[in-house]
């Protein structure tokens, strides 16, 4: 009889543990998905801030004219697939969830140059020329 009592107690503990796991696992999956999405959204925000910082500095240098030059420190976040400067636009193509999205900023100045697309902190030199604004990583 005592063996059956111990088996019943063990079975009840096992059932309680199963019920707790039944509630804990979906919550854990939800929180981990939310954390991954938040991290990706932060990378998009960092890219937008970087693009705006470069565009605003390019506008400032352009308004001062040649030979104005400014060196700024920018952070290129992870998930950047490519970074392009075309015409008056700074564009970061980023992997987002199951696809890609573009993050961009527009300047008043005609822009020339390149940007790194690897994650990290970079110094960017922004210089006014007769043809517009040159942007180069230093």
């Amino acid at each position: 009889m005592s063996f059956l009592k111990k088996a019943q107690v063990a079975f009840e503990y096992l059932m309680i543990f199963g019920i707790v796991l039944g509630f804990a696992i979906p919550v854990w999956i939800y929180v981990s998905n939310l954390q991954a999405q938040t991290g990706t959204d932060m990378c998009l925000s960092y890219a937008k801030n970087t693009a705006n910082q470069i565009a605003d500095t390019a506008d400032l240098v352009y308004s001062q004219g040649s030979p104005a030059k400014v060196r700024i420190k920018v952070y290129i976040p992870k998930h950047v697939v490519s970074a392009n400067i075309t015409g008056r636009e700074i564009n970061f193509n980023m992997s987002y969830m199951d696809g890609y999205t573009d993050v961009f900023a527009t300047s008043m100045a005609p822009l020339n140059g390149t940007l790194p697309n690897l994650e990290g902190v970079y110094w960017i030199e922004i210089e006014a020329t007769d043809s517009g604004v040159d942007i180069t990583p230093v």
Side-chain angles (χ1 to χ4, degrees), residues 67-125:
K69 183 189 300 187
V70 173
R71 186 179 285 189
I72 61 172
K73 189 186 235 183
V74 297
Y75 172 65
I76 306 293
K78 59 183 172 181
H79 303 297
V80 172
V81 176
S82 66
N84 300 311
I85 297 175
T86 309
R88 298 176 189 270
E89 188 174 278
I90 299 156
N91 184 10
F92 292 106
N93 185 309
M94 303 190 68
S95 61
Y96 182 72
M97 299 300 205
D98 294 332
Y100 298 95
T101 188
D102 287 327
V103 175
F104 65 93
T106 306
S107 172
M108 296 184 314
L111 305 172
N112 304 308
T114 60
L115 290 171
N117 61 350
L118 297 176
E119 179 184 11
V121 177
Y122 297 92
W123 284 99
I124 305 291
E125 194 167 89

Side-chain angles (χ1 to χ4, degrees), residues 8-9 13 15 23 28 36 42 49 54 57-59 66 68 71 74 82-83 91 94 106 108 115 117 128-129 133:
Q8 180 182 358
V9 170
Y13 278 130
M15 291 303 295
F23 284 110
W28 179 76
M42 266 181 58
N49 288 341
I54 294 169
T57 305
D59 289 344
S66 182
R71 186 179 285 189
V74 297
S82 66
N91 184 10
M94 303 190 68
T106 306
M108 296 184 314
L115 290 171
N117 61 350
T129 62
V133 174

Side-chain angles (χ1 to χ4, degrees), residues 4 6 16 21-22 25 29 31 34 41 43 47 49-51 72 74 85 87 92 98 104 109 118 128 130 136:
L4 291 176
K6 288 180 182 179
I16 291 170
L21 278 180
I25 288 175
I29 291 171
V31 168
L34 190 63
D41 288 346
C43 288
N49 288 341
T50 298
I72 61 172
V74 297
I85 297 175
F92 292 106
D98 294 332
F104 65 93
L118 297 176
D130 294 334
T136 51

